[in-house]
Amino acid sequence: MRQESGRSMIEMLGVLTIMGVLTVGAVGMISTAMRTQKRNAVNDEVIQMTTQVRTLLGEYDDFSHINNATIFGAIGMTNKNPYGGTYELSVDPSNSRQFIVSITGLSQSDCEYFVAKAWSDSVGRINSNNKEGGATGDCRNATNNTVQITYGE
């Protein structure tokens, strides 16, 4: 009688099943890491924008000099965000001593995250005694939502 060596079909299916489970877990972890990286990039870019706008326009009593078409060149940034949307800077129509940073192109979950996030130096956060996030936005669309954060006095 000859002894055959090798693997049975059941052993191979078991190995493939284990590999499939590991792959699904890895894909989930990579997706979470990418989402976190995009959110951190937006946070850093908004902080950089607000600092640059305040530095550039600090000599004026208000932010009515903000021109979205030229401000990004002046502060040395692009208006594209990691979500494929854009950043927009505008003066608050009700108070020229405030400016608004808009983040467009957000998914519903990312929009909800940025609305709830604590934007520490924003007008909404300061006026609520640090109880609210400081951003506003309508997050009802599956894609292409916008969040606005107001800065200034």
Side-chain angles (χ1 to χ4, degrees), residues 39-51 53-54 63 66 68 72 81 83 86-93 95 97-104 106 110-128 132-139 145-153:
R39 288 176 175 175
N40 289 340
V42 167
N43 182 60
D44 294 344
E45 289 171 355
V46 167
I47 290 170
Q48 183 180 356
M49 271 185 282
T50 57
T51 302
V53 167
R54 287 178 170 154
F63 295 101
I66 287 181
N68 199 50
F72 285 98
N81 69 41
Y83 293 97
T86 59
Y87 297 113
E88 296 172 11
L89 294 166
S90 60
V91 65
D92 186 341
N95 184 350
R97 297 178 64 82
Q98 297 177 349
F99 65 97
I100 301 168
V101 176
S102 298
I103 309 166
T104 67
L106 300 172
D110 289 314
C111 177
E112 291 168 351
Y113 170 82
F114 286 122
V115 167
K117 181 186 176 339
W119 297 96
S120 61
D121 201 20
S122 70
V123 171
R125 181 107 172 124
I126 293 168
N127 289 343
S128 71
E132 294 179 15
T136 59
D138 183 3
C139 304
N145 294 291
T146 301
V147 170
Q148 297 87 25
I149 312 156
T150 303
Y151 291 94
E153 298 175 4

Side-chain angles (χ1 to χ4, degrees), residues 57-66 91 95-98:
L57 299 175
E59 64 191 56
Y60 302 105
D61 289 336
D62 61 28
F63 295 101
S64 60
H65 295 84
I66 287 181
V91 65
N95 184 350
S96 65
R97 297 178 64 82
Q98 297 177 349

Side-chain angles (χ1 to χ4, degrees), residues 5-27:
S5 65
R7 304 283 178 240
S8 70
M9 182 62 83
I10 293 187
E11 290 172 322
M12 290 302 291
L13 287 174
V15 168
L16 289 175
T17 301
I18 291 169
M19 288 175 59
V21 168
L22 292 174
T23 301
V24 168
V27 167

